[in-house]
Amino acid sequence: MARLLRALWGLPFLEASPRASRCPLVGGGLGARAGHGDAGSVTKHEPSLTKSEWRKKLTPEQFHVTREKGTEPPFSGIYLNNKESGMYHCVCCDSPLFSSEKKYSSGTGWPSFSEAHGTAGSDESNTGILRRVDTSLGSVRTEVVCKHCEAHLGHVFPDGPGPTGQRFCINSVALKFKPGKH
């Protein structure tokens, strides 16, 4: 069954607890595939650059966060207190990810957004992000990556404002801001 699912979804098989498989906020369960935020997984793109090419293109901090799944220190990001209107793009591939209209101050130390750009209700298939199960710290979290180049952006948590109740906690160093109306 795991081989069939891996072939259908094009994602590596991840062991997850039964609780995580049922949770619609975690991108690894069947609920996520059925329209709760990870429908774009079947259209993911492979990274077009090698590790050494990414190192040349990005600063050391950008490389660490986006390619090695690092995290910038809290309250250190250049976009944490940015209040300009515009669009936040992926620092690696320039894909539009988050609109300033959905940015809010969560007090957590990282730029926070209530939804990804292109979201329609609970449908994220037209966004530039994917959700993935992250068990790296011994608990189940939902990682957010760029759909086009698979850059690690941050995580999403179910403690955000209404109506979505989501908090996309995104590293500033993974973003490039472009001013304008959005």
Side-chain angles (χ1 to χ4, degrees):
M1 181 64 146
R3 285 187 188 130
L4 174 62
L5 293 175
R6 185 172 51 241
L8 291 174
W9 292 331
L11 292 175
F13 179 72
L14 297 173
E15 290 290 333
S17 67
R19 181 182 160 273
S21 297
R22 291 189 304 269
C23 180
L25 294 173
V26 175
L30 291 174
R33 300 289 185 251
H36 294 294
D38 200 15
S41 294
V42 294
T43 59
K44 75 176 182 113
H45 301 282
E46 292 301 318
S48 58
L49 300 178
T50 66
K51 189 174 183 176
S52 63
E53 289 171 328
W54 282 122
R55 279 192 192 279
K56 290 177 187 171
K57 178 178 178 169
L58 303 170
T59 68
E61 188 178 16
Q62 290 170 334
F63 180 84
H64 175 65
V65 169
T66 62
R67 298 289 154 214
E68 298 178 322
K69 299 184 180 194
T71 302
E72 67 191 4
F75 302 100
S76 68
I78 61 171
Y79 299 128
L80 177 61
N81 296 310
N82 184 25
K83 304 221 185 306
E84 283 186 75
S85 293
M87 185 67 66
Y88 294 86
H89 292 246
C90 176
V91 74
C92 295
C93 71
D94 203 35
S95 293
L97 301 171
F98 298 96
S99 168
S100 62
E101 292 178 358
K102 301 299 179 176
K103 186 174 185 288
Y104 69 98
S105 178
S106 66
T108 60
W110 291 274
S112 298
F113 302 87
S114 58
E115 68 181 30
H117 175 68
T119 301
S122 63
D123 180 7
E124 290 180 345
S125 62
N126 292 317
T127 69
I129 65 150
L130 295 175
R131 296 171 185 238
R132 293 200 176 141
V133 174
D134 176 3
T135 58
S136 63
L137 295 180
S139 63
V140 178
R141 299 183 298 166
T142 305
E143 178 189 16
V144 180
V145 300
C146 175
K147 185 186 289 187
H148 300 286
C149 72
E150 299 189 19
H152 170 77
L153 304 170
H155 292 85
V156 61
F157 301 95
D159 59 1
T164 67
Q166 298 179 99
R167 173 175 52 96
F168 286 87
C169 191
I170 306 299
N171 291 284
S172 284
V173 74
L175 301 173
K176 176 174 30 174
F177 180 72
K178 295 186 178 182
K181 282 198 158 190
H182 293 281

